[in-house]
Amino acid sequence: MKLKRTHIYSLVTLALVLVFLYWLNAHRLQNGMLVSILQKGAILALVAVSMNLLNGFTGLFSLGQAGFMSIGAYTTAILLIPVQNLDGVYYMNGVSPAIKAFKMMVASSPQFIQILFPFFALLLGGLLAAFAAALVGIAVLRLKSDYLAIATLGLSEIVRAIFSSPQFDQITNGSYGLNKIPNFPVMLWGAIPSLITPFVIVALCIVFMVLLIKSSYGRAFKAIREDEIAAEAMGINLFKHKELSFILSSFFSAVAGGLLAMYMRSIEAKTFSITMTYDILLIVVIGGIGSVTGSILSAFLVTAAKEWWLRFFDQPLVIGGFHVPLFRTGFRMVIFSILLMVVVLIYRRGLMGTNEFSWERIIKRFQRKSKQAGGQA
């Protein structure tokens, strides 16, 4: 009975979310900031969950997410920039003839191929990142703890340096970056508008990772996290499962990178600097290492606080002719850092710890409170 009731709650919540998103799509001009925050929060939630899959559930301390995001972002951007805009983007050294020929072929392909092509670009970016992770993982996954973190962080910087190098000017446009990237496509021939597309893609990817965590592979990941020696003694192939976790985490990070390229409409190498990796790690830690729900919740809260709620601290404030000190550009990040410190001090294991959202837990808590209120009465 409880399971059926919780399923109903989940379906009602999903229906309300969809109604809200369609309403937001109809009033997007009046709610531009809200749309921007929700879309960016969803993209960062996908990266955070993919990082949590590796760090929280498998116990591998990796800091290479920004590098794999850049692979997905550049692949998606290169494939999606319209052929008529290539000369305006690659205005310094021109575009590679192979890329131009491929894009002309896509532009002349049937309509249904052009409709599905943005999703193919996201998939290809993810597969390229997964292939790179498979090759790199052979070497770096034999390292542990801080050594693995340093190696993957170095890998991320190597990828960023390659994309911005002059030798890749005709492919990645070097340090000039890429622009005129199309926005999110529609899905199901317009039934799902472009505003809702990133939420659908992110939801599908996260659901896949949740199912993976609940499978036998996920249990093997958790066993490796708890004790590698004991896991190996139970017959778990350590390298195989570490490699699988690393590949899948890289794949979904690259998909998120492709979505970020569509969201930003222009990218450059410095977009995927070490700072982005630290921001993602911050989201994971605030939400709770080992909690998918925590990563999702933290991604939206951190994005909203950093990009929206604390914006007024960057504006000069005058009260009764008195100019309040410190209210100036950049003070927002000081307040944001202080709030993060407070949250970490209060919630030592993050907002959710290792727990996940559960209707049953909420119902039991309300029942307990109602019994206590009845007993006091």
Side-chain angles (χ1 to χ4, degrees):
M1 191 70 177
K2 284 186 177 181
L3 285 176
K4 189 178 294 185
R5 184 166 56 177
T6 55
H7 288 163
I8 292 173
Y9 290 158
S10 298
L11 290 174
V12 170
T13 303
L14 178 61
L16 291 175
V17 170
L18 287 175
V19 169
F20 171 72
L21 289 176
Y22 275 96
W23 174 87
L24 197 61
N25 180 66
H27 302 83
R28 63 187 307 168
L29 294 179
Q30 299 90 336
N31 299 278
M33 178 59 79
L34 179 59
V35 171
S36 177
I37 293 299
L38 290 177
Q39 288 183 338
K40 187 174 182 180
I43 294 169
L44 293 180
L46 176 56
V47 189
V49 173
S50 69
M51 189 177 195
N52 219 342
L53 174 66
L54 191 61
N55 291 19
F57 291 97
T58 315
L60 300 176
F61 189 26
S62 170
L63 294 176
Q65 261 60 32
F68 295 114
M69 284 182 70
S70 66
I71 294 176
Y74 270 95
T75 302
T76 303
I78 291 169
L79 291 176
L80 293 187
I81 294 174
V83 65
Q84 64 269 20
N85 293 336
L86 287 177
D87 293 334
V89 175
Y90 295 87
Y91 57 88
M92 291 298 294
N93 299 293
V95 63
S96 169
I99 293 177
K100 191 168 187 177
F102 176 77
K103 295 181 74 63
M104 291 180 67
M105 181 184 68
V106 173
S108 60
S109 61
Q111 186 67 25
F112 77 94
I113 293 180
Q114 297 184 38
I115 293 174
L116 296 176
F117 189 70
F119 307 102
F120 168 77
L122 286 173
L123 180 61
L124 182 59
L127 291 175
L128 287 177
F131 178 72
L135 294 179
V136 173
I138 297 174
V140 301
L141 291 181
R142 303 189 184 279
L143 303 173
K144 295 182 180 180
S145 187
D146 298 341
Y147 300 101
L148 176 60
I150 294 171
T152 51
L153 186 61
L155 168 67
S156 176
E157 286 300 292
I158 290 171
V159 171
R160 191 169 69 90
I162 290 174
F163 284 157
S164 61
S165 64
Q167 290 80 7
F168 278 73
D169 279 352
Q170 291 189 328
I171 300 176
T172 63
N173 207 26
S175 59
Y176 298 99
L178 299 172
N179 52 36
K180 300 182 181 179
I181 305 169
N183 204 343
F184 301 111
V186 298
M187 297 182 71
L188 298 179
W189 288 269
I192 299 177
S194 60
L195 183 147
I196 303 178
T197 296
F199 299 102
V200 175
I201 296 174
V202 167
L204 291 175
C205 293
I206 291 178
V207 166
F208 179 88
M209 283 188 278
V210 169
L211 294 176
L212 176 70
I213 291 168
K214 292 183 177 180
S215 69
S216 58
Y217 287 102
R219 291 191 290 272
F221 294 160
K222 294 176 184 177
I224 294 172
R225 176 192 64 189
E226 297 300 329
D227 193 325
E228 289 190 7
I229 297 175
E232 190 172 25
M234 293 299 294
I236 295 175
N237 188 322
L238 296 183
F239 178 76
K240 171 188 171 183
H241 287 86
K242 286 181 179 181
E243 180 85 345
L244 177 62
S245 178
F246 191 55
I247 290 172
L248 289 174
S249 176
S250 304
F251 173 84
F252 289 113
S253 295
V255 172
L259 292 174
L260 187 65
M262 295 180 185
Y263 167 81
M264 296 179 66
R265 307 293 298 273
S266 64
I267 57 170
E268 51 186 332
K270 67 179 182 181
T271 305
F272 305 96
S273 63
I274 298 176
T275 305
M276 173 165 282
T277 297
Y278 291 159
D279 288 343
I280 300 165
L281 181 61
L282 173 69
I283 291 173
V284 173
V285 172
I286 294 296
I289 298 177
S291 172
V292 173
T293 311
S295 295
I296 298 171
L297 176 64
S298 177
F300 285 104
L301 289 178
V302 169
T303 304
K306 188 177 178 180
E307 304 291 340
W308 189 10
W309 296 338
L310 302 179
R311 281 285 179 185
F312 68 92
F313 284 107
D314 283 350
Q315 305 298 325
L317 180 62
V318 179
I319 301 177
F322 173 71
H323 184 83
V324 180
L326 299 180
F327 275 68
R328 63 188 67 180
T329 303
F331 188 57
R332 163 178 57 98
M333 296 308 299
V334 176
I335 300 298
F336 178 71
S337 302
I338 294 173
L339 290 176
L340 289 180
M341 290 175 61
V342 172
V343 171
V344 170
L345 289 173
I346 296 175
Y347 300 96
R348 297 291 179 88
R349 302 176 63 190
L351 296 175
M352 296 293 292
T354 57
N355 300 318
E356 300 292 352
F357 175 82
S358 171
W359 287 114
E360 293 181 355
R361 187 180 296 110
I362 294 176
I363 293 171
K364 288 179 180 178
R365 181 171 298 179
F366 275 108
Q367 289 176 345
R368 193 182 305 116
K369 287 185 177 181
S370 62
K371 287 181 180 179
Q372 290 176 354
Q376 292 176 355

